[in-house]
Amino acid sequence: MSRLSPAALLLIGAALVPIAIEFPVILTFVGIRNFSFGLSFALFGLVFLAILVWSEVADVIGSSAGS
Amino acid sequence: MSTPTESILNIGRTDDETALPAESFIVKYPTVARVVRVCFAYAFVALAVGGLFGVIQALHRTNVIRVIDSADYYTLLTAHGVFLAIVFTIFFLAGVFAWANTRSLERPPLNPRFTWLWVGTMSAGTLLSGGSILAGLVAEIDVSADVLFTFYAPLQAHPLFYIGLALFVVGTWLAGIDWFRQYLDWRADNPDERIPLQSFMVLTTMLMWYLSTLGVAIEVVVFLIPWSLGLMPAPTPLLTRTLFWFFGHPVVYFWLMPAYLMWYTVLPKLSGGRLFSDPLARVVFVLFLLLSTPVGIHHQYLDPGIAEGFKFIAMTNTMFLLLPSLLTAFTVVASVEHGARQNGGEGYFGWLTALPWRDPAFTGMMLAGLMFAAGGFSGMVNAGMNINYLVHNTIWVPGHFHLTVGTAVALTFMAAAYWLVPRVTGRALYSRPIGLFQVVLWFIGMTFMSAAMHRGGLAGIPRRTAEPEYSKFTFEAVVGTISSLRLQIAFGGVLLFVSLVIFLANIALTAANNEPATGLKTDLPPALSGPEQSPQVLDELKLWAIIAIVLVILAYSLPLWSIINGAGFYQDGITASPQVVQPVLEVLI
Amino acid sequence: MHVHNYEKLWLLASLALIVGFISTIVYGAVGAGVVMVNDEGGQVNASGLSEHPEFNDPGVRKVGPNEYEAYVVAQQFAFSPDPIEVPANSTVTFYVTSRDVVHGFEVAGTNANAMVVPGEVSKMTVEFNETDEYGVVCNEYCGQAHHDMAGEVIVKEPGNFTLDDAGESTTAQATNGTDETANGTGES
Ligand code: HEM
Ligand SMILES: [Cu+2]
Ligand SMILES: [Cu+2]
């Protein structure tokens, strides 16, 4: 059983979109310019994938620990 | 009870009538339920057409896909503005207000004929104005109205466009009379009671509307209609502009108030709790009545012919108009948190997980509220008299109002429909998961489109233009590239359109659903601090109306007088610029 | 009336925010001397611009050591003059009006931006410090070819700059207050 319901994944995914869009802008404040939107989306796509994996896998580990 | 099923809109009957409880809205007030259905039907048709044009615009002006000629772009843009910002919003408002006033006063309107009269007047106005805009796409018809929804003279539309607008506004006035009569009838039976909250919201909003539509009514009836019929000379452009914006700002609160009504009275219930404070809700609506109108000049910060002092007064009032929205943010979040804690939510942020996120009505309204906060920030930039010079009439501005009217209002309406349509049709929502997906998709699409529009605006890209670039120079983005911004606008527009199609399909399938709606028994719970905690004076509608009028006179008499003094009513040298059809709809397939 | 404590705090914070906003704008207007488009430009007859002493010949005039006036006419679907040429390190007061409908005059990417309303003159003062080229867009819908309506401001090296026509006038002619502080600087 995964930790996150499809609805929760949908909402988390949606929340990552504005973050991915604003990320290059935030980076300009710390002096990193020309960080492309494409790269930012790829990055947060990976973050989403990681969350997905965590949601599916971590629980398996948890359950083997006896919950 | 039963209603005959003679028309397609008459869907208030499920096969299993006994399934609807006797205390449900549709069984108690079948006529009002039908009025609400008709209003929603108009609203959703307008939404469908407007949304289609929206995606065509988004793809055209970014040069991604072009199916129209650039000259026709403005016909579509006029239709997009009028159908969405006027027809969709106001018909939906009429439906919500008819429902809310009846529900909270516990009685139907006095005379159903009168009710159908205003529905009919608004419909006639819509068909005339909408028809004259769309006729601009058809070569054979010698009618057009490519003047955008702001119709600044001396751009000139066909007289039917203005006549339709006037009829539409008169229809809303009649609707307000209907709701006031309903209230007076209730008052006669309940001389000492506090006005029920929803009805209070309806009435204060309508008072604001009467006051503010005065500007556009004078503009259209006294100046534009006689001028377009060739009976009178061209009016002073600055004067008609100023009259338009006298109405043009308060109309945004007219869009917003039904959304606020849902946030204050329905959202707390959806979250499992109760409204935090009834008195504060009343204060907020009174503030909107008082402050919505004497601010319109903030749309004219860049206009010549208006002294800086007047702009300054409008700016100050505008800033104070932030107050009711900030109070709303507090009350809504507090009420939802209360609901979450009722559901067993705990911790500083942990309560967020105890909310009904699977419910599209709840999630849609929450996302709409979140985007409204973002829209509020860009709105503060617009309101800042001097920073406004950087963004005025750039694409930043559509970026801003797609967050406000295009999401805070439109997404709340869609979410509200998921809750309300079953209540006025008696039919169960076709699919909640699809609804949830739809509202989230709108949020994602709007994030793309709006963020990119804001950034494009900072680079100086103008709004209301069919072409992505000029031959003489190029725009430079502050972050990223202009072409990536264009792609984001186009991509966001497509997502929005897909979301819209899913919404309309879900609603259509609901209307055709033979499963009876459930959960119709429960009524909206009263507030935690009830009306008895608030001073009686809040219910003195006459007093607030008078103060509102005085504020408007203070803000507007001098500017109007100085315009009339300088240029007169009919300034010399102004000639009409009829927006006649270039009669081609070039579909390049 | 019962108001919750958190509510009171929020209310105070909101009011502080609002007053803060207003103060920054007051500071901008009074302290930093940001000037807005206002009613100083006066009125003109939109169809009689050819008889107007200045708009009959749109162009740039010199009115002081580093001070210039630019008379610009907007009409469907062009600005004249186009391009508008001015020297660097100068202060230019634009007077913009329209022959027909409402237009916009926006120096792209800067805050030099005004509505152009027929019958009214929009006056704004801009400082140009460095040589550069700016796009000018009409940012108000003005008809079917609105998207073609654009112009240019070219800021030239002062040495290369000459006034091209007889529009040269002397300081004495300075009309209503060319000594205004800058509204928008030409820097992007
Ligand atoms: C499918 C969803 C939508 C898309 C793709 C879309 C797209 C657009 C675009 C690209 C523009 C800018 C056109 C320009 O300035 O050149 C625009 C303008 C506008 N949109 Fe939308 N929009 C959508 C939904 C809405 C909604 C729901 C509303 C309001 C309820 C709305 C209200 C407006 C208004 C008032 C304008 C300004 C029209 C004008 O400048 O005269 N839009 N839209
Ligand atoms: Cu406004
Ligand atoms: Cu234009």
Side-chain angles (χ1 to χ4, degrees), chain B residues 74 146 311 326 460 472 573, chain C residues 10 37 47 82 106 141 146-147:
Chain B
Y74 305 102
D146 304 342
K311 297 179 178 176
L326 289 168
K472 293 179 178 164
Chain C
W10 180 266
V37 177
S47 347
D82 180 29
E106 170 196 328
Y141 169 67
H146 162 60
H147 44 263

Side-chain angles (χ1 to χ4, degrees), chain B residues 243-308:
Chain B
L243 288 172
F244 179 84
W245 286 114
F246 180 103
F247 146 89
H249 190 78
V251 73
V252 314
Y253 291 102
F254 199 55
W255 302 330
L256 204 55
M257 290 306 98
Y260 273 30
L261 185 147
M262 300 306 288
W263 294 356
Y264 273 105
T265 64
V266 176
L267 187 58
K269 176 199 156 74
L270 294 178
S271 69
R274 293 156 65 177
L275 173 61
F276 197 64
S277 161
D278 172 298
L280 254 269
R282 285 174 205 254
V283 169
V284 164
F285 275 73
V286 166
L287 284 173
F288 278 121
L289 165 59
L290 297 185
L291 290 176
S292 290
T293 314
V295 297
I297 288 179
H298 70 205
H299 291 260
Q300 297 176 283
Y301 284 154
L302 276 73
D303 277 19
I306 298 178
E308 207 169 325

Side-chain angles (χ1 to χ4, degrees), chain A residues 5-7 10-11 13-15 17-18 21-22 24-25 28 33 37 41, chain B residues 357-358 363 436-437 440 443-444 447-448 451 455 478-480 484-485 488:
Chain A
S5 67
L10 184 67
L11 283 166
V17 174
I21 289 186
E22 295 304 332
V25 182
T28 61
R33 301 194 160 264
F37 286 111
F41 276 106
Chain B
W357 293 108
R358 279 159 197 244
T363 304
L436 181 66
F437 177 74
V440 173
F443 174 85
I444 296 175
T447 306
F448 274 100
R455 279 173 202 158
V478 186
V479 179
S484 79
L485 292 183
Q488 287 172 42

